[in-house]
Amino acid sequence: MSKTLAEMPFVDVRPFDSAYWHGGLGSIMAGAAVEHGPVFRWEATDPYEQGQTRVSMVGPEANRFVMHTHRHAFSHDLGWSPFISDTFGKGLLNMDDPEHAVHRKMWNPAFAGAVMGAYLPVMQRVIEERTAEWLTRGEVDLYAEARTITFDIAAAALAGFEPSPQVDYMRRLFQGLLMGPSGAQDEEAFMASFTSTRNELVGRLLMMIAARRAAPPEERPRDVLGLIVHARDDRGQPLSDEQVLGHLAILLVAGHETTTTLGSWALYLLATMPEHQTRLLEEIEGAPRDENGAIAFEALRSMKALDNFVRETGRMYSPVLNVPRGVTEDVEFGGYVIPAGTQVRLGLAASHMLPSVFKDPERFDPGRFAAPRDEDKATPYALVTFGGGPRVCIGMHFAHIE
């Protein structure tokens, strides 16, 4: 007989608050799953949810359950919107079906595998320009530099905004919303600064959207923003400015925030693990080049050592630690009934640190993804850096190439 929510194991996460910001939460939650099973309760301690009970689900079976077989019962809107809708509006990230299916269909052509090669020259150009002076510096802040690179790539490749002082300013506005205003003395000052930043960003984005709408067909850029501005929904109607704004804001955030984290860790690991650096440089230097001397798209996709290195970076240092979902109907998992109205956190980072799935999970080992080991393939839904199931991250291939 299934047990109730009140009977579910409770984990005290208060001693581990600082671990959330230092990348250790995945290991801590994986340890809780090993001890208590794949589903357990805990009390939120962060300022946004303090004192509220949350349920964690951890492991490949939990990933399959939430992302695939029972996805209808786990709402993205109820999970994500409390955190992002007031700031960024409504986009693919916080939409539920059937609305999500309609809007994702509009986006699909821009993220199809066949068009990924068109983004590569933009990525290469931005990276070359932004890293040109690195060797002349005594020190490089990888996280800050990766943020600049990934935002410029998302802005240029996805929204057609070329690197410029205007894009630099937009990046600072987005960072102000994501990280919160600095220097605010109290909550009132914080909210005033936050609202001012958001209004400034919204005003600039709306002007860009208006310019796209007014452009004649022969001058319209063939990027994601152009696709969305002129798209039609299932009733043949164009999207409103508010809908385009929500898509654009979340596109720019999702298009750079997680890749910033993944890229920073990859660069750091290369700098501190010379044996991997040597192996990858050999693969890169031996790759076929195009007429401009850049690595060709097909050659990039065939680089197994580099691919495994990036995948292992994403496993150990998940850009997204947990994904929130709101439960819309009673479901049973792991011997417990999770009632409608519960807030669930699906532990992506914790799933990656389970010793029953990944051998010696605390060890950085790209070889775990090579044959004959293939640890990710041995257990479906084991590696979920970009999610999984029908709603796997639409920008997964874009991010991986970048």
Side-chain angles (χ1 to χ4, degrees), residues 203-238:
R204 286 176 175 265
L205 294 177
L206 284 174
M207 285 192 295
M208 294 175 178
I209 291 169
R212 286 299 188 90
R213 290 199 190 279
E218 65 274 10
E219 297 179 11
R220 295 174 185 171
R222 298 175 62 84
D223 52 35
V224 183
L225 176 58
L227 189 73
I228 295 300
V229 164
H230 299 288
R232 295 290 187 272
D233 63 20
D234 53 341
R235 296 170 298 172
Q237 298 298 311

Side-chain angles (χ1 to χ4, degrees), residues 43-374:
E43 186 177 293
T45 60
D46 65 85
Y48 301 103
E49 304 181 283
Q50 191 166 15
Q52 300 181 48
T53 298
R54 297 291 177 253
V55 170
S56 275
M57 299 176 65
V58 175
E61 285 306 313
N63 297 334
R64 184 204 298 269
F65 191 87
V66 174
M67 295 176 178
H68 185 41
T69 60
H70 291 72
R71 64 186 184 278
H72 62 277
F74 293 89
S75 167
H76 290 245
D77 183 16
L78 296 177
W80 283 110
S81 290
F83 300 102
I84 67 173
S85 64
D86 288 346
T87 305
F88 299 114
K90 201 75 170 289
L92 285 186
L93 184 63
N94 56 333
M95 282 181 175
D96 290 328
D97 287 331
E99 182 183 31
H100 170 266
V102 171
H103 285 254
R104 182 160 177 142
K105 187 177 180 180
M106 298 178 194
W107 285 52
N108 279 335
F111 289 99
V115 301
M116 287 296 111
Y119 297 129
L120 184 58
V122 179
M123 295 178 183
Q124 291 170 326
R125 173 171 52 80
V126 171
I127 290 168
E128 284 187 16
E129 291 172 356
R130 288 299 188 181
T131 60
E133 298 181 353
W134 278 18
L135 293 180
T136 66
R137 303 184 193 177
E139 182 178 277
V140 173
D141 183 332
L142 288 178
Y143 187 75
E145 294 296 325
R147 178 182 294 280
T148 300
I149 290 171
T150 57
F151 188 88
D152 283 3
I153 288 175
L158 305 180
F161 306 151
E162 291 300 323
S164 65
Q166 183 183 31
V167 170
D168 291 340
Y169 185 58
M170 276 203 305
R171 182 175 60 251
R172 291 194 293 272
L173 291 174
F174 269 107
Q175 187 170 0
L177 294 180
L178 287 167
M179 306 303 292
S182 59
Q185 299 300 312
D186 52 42
E187 186 176 351
E188 184 177 351
F190 180 95
M191 289 307 302
S193 177
F194 185 90
T195 302
S196 175
T197 299
R198 184 184 185 279
N199 290 343
E200 172 73 10
L201 180 61
V202 167
R204 286 176 175 265
L205 294 177
L206 284 174
M207 285 192 295
M208 294 175 178
I209 291 169
R212 286 299 188 90
R213 290 199 190 279
E218 65 274 10
E219 297 179 11
R220 295 174 185 171
R222 298 175 62 84
D223 52 35
V224 183
L225 176 58
L227 189 73
I228 295 300
V229 164
H230 299 288
R232 295 290 187 272
D233 63 20
D234 53 341
R235 296 170 298 172
Q237 298 298 311
L239 302 186
S240 67
D241 282 356
E242 182 181 11
Q243 289 175 309
V244 175
L245 180 65
H247 279 308
L248 178 58
I250 292 178
L251 173 71
L252 290 173
V253 171
H256 92 279
E257 185 64 24
T258 53
T259 320
T260 294
T261 302
L262 187 59
S264 301
W265 275 113
L267 290 169
Y268 173 78
L269 292 168
L270 282 174
T272 55
M273 295 182 169
E275 68 278 13
H276 291 291
Q277 186 180 136
T278 299
R279 186 177 302 115
L280 296 190
L281 283 174
E282 289 176 353
E283 184 176 60
I284 290 168
E285 289 168 357
R289 307 276 166 159
D290 62 19
E291 62 275 11
N292 298 315
I295 296 173
F297 177 64
E298 288 304 324
L300 186 67
R301 296 180 66 182
S302 66
M303 290 183 175
K304 296 301 182 185
L306 180 59
D307 181 67
N308 290 339
F309 183 89
V310 173
R311 283 151 63 85
E312 177 68 344
T313 302
R315 183 195 69 82
M316 281 200 69
Y317 302 101
S318 298
V320 180
L321 302 178
N322 296 292
V323 288
R325 297 287 187 270
V327 181
T328 59
E329 62 182 62
D330 292 1
V331 292
E332 182 180 340
F333 179 79
Y336 296 90
V337 173
I338 305 174
T342 303
Q343 280 287 321
V344 162
R345 300 293 179 262
L346 184 63
L348 308 188
S351 292
H352 292 167
M353 304 305 290
L354 292 174
S356 59
V357 180
F358 294 104
K359 183 180 179 181
D360 195 6
E362 301 284 350
R363 179 170 174 260
F364 186 82
D365 180 13
R368 69 176 73 249
F369 297 117
R373 292 169 64 185
D374 292 321

